Amino acid sequence: MKSDIKLIDGHGKRLDGRKADELRKIKIEAGVLHRADGSCYLEWGGNKVLAAVYGPREAIPKHTQNPLKAIVNARYNMASFSVEDRKRPGPDRRSVEISKVISEALERVILIEQFPRTMINVNIEVLDAEAGTRCAGLTAAGVALADAGIPMIDIPVACAAGKIDGHVVLDLGQKEDNFGDADLPLGLAPRINEVILLQMDGHLTMDEFNKAFELAHHGCLVVSEMQKKALLEKYESVVQPEEVVQDVQPEESE
Ligand code: ADP
């Protein structure tokens, strides 16, 4: 959508004061739900996202089972209170598309061949939306899958870059998404450096595309470190190294 709104000032500062290559504030917490096999709560700017993983468990109905691999079933849902005007509850064209691209991205990293005839459910609930929810959702799903102990070649992560007022910038906010020129969400398996999701909304020249891809790639690597930190924080607090050492001290002989 085009408008007269100025998204970047003469000093290169954006509406929320960020520089072109600056991410919004991100907070990640692993293992927040007790009944799910793995979970994650993630805040990314104004986005609040919860991801819960169930499985692998026997796929039902039985005819959906694949004898060679697990089915990855990601379900992206936006709460009706997550956007400015109440959203009609339930799936719509957009959420079906996002669920599909996230499922396909996750299939690329999960070792699905190890779990034939099963399904792995990944529920992504967007509680508050402020642009970039598919990246936030995929990032949260990556942490929730790792928290569930599901074998993966890598922890998937995502980040977008885009173009506003003719400038290529990292991680679009709501107004930048609404009134900007283009958005390029990128999903990455960072350790093996493989693209698992790439979409584009709007128009970019080849040079702009390369620059946006580079920025989004850099964003993914930064967020990937935050994912690992969140997982370490959870598991470090479960197992205190000092306690383990104390437990294995041999008893003093008389
Ligand atoms: P993403 O959230 O991955 O950037 P979109 O580009 O489709 O996906 O959406 C951009 C933003 O527009 C969303 O994050 C959300 O804040 C807003 N939005 C999406 N769908 C709706 C809707 N049905 N009603 C109001 N706002 C919406």
Side-chain angles (χ1 to χ4, degrees), residues 53 55-56 70 72 106-115 120 142 144-156 191:
V53 170
V72 180
L106 297 179
E107 268 174 20
R108 303 284 296 275
V109 289
I110 299 173
L111 298 179
I112 45 179
E113 289 83 10
Q114 288 192 5
F115 306 99
I120 298 168
L145 284 161
D147 182 43
I150 294 188
M152 294 185 281
I153 45 173
D154 215 340
I155 301 176
R191 197 174 54 84

Side-chain angles (χ1 to χ4, degrees), residues 47 76 78 83-85 87 92 94 98 129-135 174 177-178 183 201:
N47 294 313
Y76 165 102
M78 265 181 141
V83 286
E84 214 160 290
D85 300 318
K87 185 195 159 285
D92 51 17
R94 180 176 168 277
I98 297 179
E130 204 194 60
T133 56
R134 77 194 65 209
C135 290
Q174 184 71 71
D177 188 301
N178 288 354
D183 188 21
D201 187 12

